[in-house]
Amino acid sequence: MADLILHHYPTSPFAEKARLILGFKKLAWKSVLIPQIQPKPDVAALTGGYRKTPILQIGADIYCDTALICDVLEHLAPAPALYPAQGKGLARTVAQWADSTLFWTAMAYNFQPKGAADLFGKAPPEMGKAFAEDRKAMSVNMTRLRPLDAIAAYKSYLRRISDMLEGQPFVLGDAPTVADFSLFHPLWFTRVRTPSMAGILDHTPAVLEWMERMAAIGHGDMEKFDSASAIQVAAASQPHSLLVDSTFQDDHGIALGSLVTVASESFGPEPTEGELIAATRTHFSLRRRDERAGTVHVHFPRIGYVLRKVETPA
């Protein structure tokens, strides 16, 4: 099998989710550090437009969004399992809530002035401004929670997580599942990246103890790599998807082989254009060609993404 290449940056919470899962699965992986903000030309060479972090590259296959990356890693290393035999649907549902509602509540809380100072206080003023403008552009389809409204919501969510941990080490039992990794990364950002805001966690000691257990999993066997080499890997490879479901599910009236775009329905609306080669119950896949990366297949989870046909002029 080709190497696992994770394109990410250290402060990305969703990248921390992926890094921990790689450690949990005891998988070796290569680390390509990418910019926090646009432009990201080497990312675009692989994805064609999608720019959220992280992305997982395996040869000439590019997997977008941690929801889909989790499925790929589960296929590669079924044990230890992210999705428990009993409660698989519950684990996925909690993970989806954590990656959306909990995440954006935590970010609204974290990016109050003290938290922003933790992140950008020692950087030139233009860096913080550039980050704010970049994330504003990524959020055009979203209604953002106001920071003061986020305080009470975040406290309530932390109490709910604490309740889930009552009498057990992880939220669904004796072992971590995808739910734990999704719940962890927004809280990790509060504690590690915006420590001035981390006092909110002190009110739920069970959550802090659980966070220690999660952090102890570590990131596994990581090797530094560079983006130019990753693009060369793609160019020298033939796409071969590791996504196991392949039955065509047509909910759009768009045939396979059509020129389409896929884009996030909310945060990060930049579309990827290509030939539709798969539309299953779980994912979309596009074939596209790049001057540097060659022919790549770019894969997206179905939930949270919008498929549109590219209308060509008559």
Side-chain angles (χ1 to χ4, degrees):
M1 189 195 73
D3 292 329
L4 305 180
I5 304 172
L6 190 73
H7 299 254
H8 67 120
Y9 57 87
T11 59
S12 163
F14 278 96
E16 179 64 10
K17 173 186 172 183
R19 293 186 292 253
L20 268 188
I21 291 172
L22 287 161
F24 177 63
K25 296 284 190 181
K26 295 181 170 54
L27 290 166
W29 57 286
K30 292 186 174 182
S31 167
V32 173
L33 295 182
I34 62 175
Q36 292 189 53
I37 64 174
Q38 294 283 55
K40 300 183 181 185
D42 290 347
V43 171
L46 296 171
T47 68
Y50 179 89
R51 52 152 305 188
K52 295 197 288 184
T53 303
I55 60 171
L56 178 67
Q57 175 188 354
I58 305 177
D61 287 277
I62 312 300
Y63 299 96
C64 302
D65 198 293
T66 57
L68 192 65
I69 290 170
C70 285
D71 288 347
V72 173
L73 297 181
E74 187 82 344
H75 174 73
L76 287 173
L82 286 174
Y83 307 105
Q86 299 296 321
K88 184 185 299 185
L90 178 59
R92 285 188 182 274
T93 300
V94 172
Q96 185 180 0
W97 172 82
D99 284 342
S100 53
T101 301
L102 175 65
F103 176 81
W104 289 113
T105 300
M107 292 304 111
Y109 171 82
N110 294 333
F111 276 89
Q112 293 179 78
K114 288 194 299 182
D118 287 337
L119 291 166
F120 303 112
K122 297 179 180 179
E126 57 269 20
M127 184 175 293
K129 183 179 179 182
F131 182 88
E133 289 298 318
D134 182 82
R135 293 309 189 262
K136 181 180 179 182
M138 293 183 77
S139 306
V140 294
N141 294 334
M142 293 181 60
T143 299
R144 301 292 291 269
L145 191 65
R146 294 180 302 179
L148 295 181
D149 293 327
I151 296 171
Y154 200 14
K155 287 179 179 177
S156 291
Y157 296 155
L158 289 169
R159 289 194 297 269
R160 294 177 191 180
I161 297 169
S162 183
D163 289 343
M164 294 180 200
L165 293 164
E166 188 172 345
Q168 56 191 25
F170 299 99
V171 296
L172 296 182
D174 292 332
T177 71
V178 68
D180 293 270
F181 293 99
S182 293
L183 290 164
F184 177 78
H185 68 90
L187 279 57
W188 165 86
F189 194 92
T190 301
R191 191 180 194 189
V192 175
R193 298 305 181 186
T194 57
S196 295
M197 308 301 294
I200 197 169
L201 301 169
D202 295 338
H203 302 291
T204 48
V207 171
L208 285 172
E209 292 168 7
W210 164 79
M211 291 183 73
E212 292 293 337
R213 290 191 287 274
M214 292 297 295
I217 293 170
H219 295 163
D221 183 9
M222 183 271 285
E223 175 188 344
K224 293 182 180 179
F225 207 52
D226 64 87
S227 59
S229 297
I231 290 172
Q232 289 174 3
V233 167
S237 303
Q238 293 294 321
H240 179 70
S241 175
L242 294 176
L243 297 168
V244 294
D245 64 321
S246 58
T247 302
F248 179 48
Q249 180 173 311
D250 179 18
D251 295 318
H252 297 79
I254 300 175
L256 295 180
S258 300
L259 186 63
V260 299
T261 61
V262 173
S264 171
E265 66 185 18
S266 56
F267 184 69
E270 295 84 357
T272 292
E273 183 177 302
E275 177 193 351
L276 183 67
I277 57 172
T280 77
R281 63 182 181 83
T282 65
H283 73 277
F284 298 121
S285 296
L286 306 186
R287 180 188 290 118
R288 56 176 304 276
R289 178 162 181 80
D290 178 82
E291 275 188 10
R292 291 187 292 155
T295 298
V296 295
H297 290 179
V298 189
H299 310 279
F300 301 88
R302 192 155 188 147
I303 292 177
Y305 288 80
V306 178
L307 175 71
R308 291 189 173 93
K309 187 173 183 179
V310 175
E311 299 297 341
T312 55

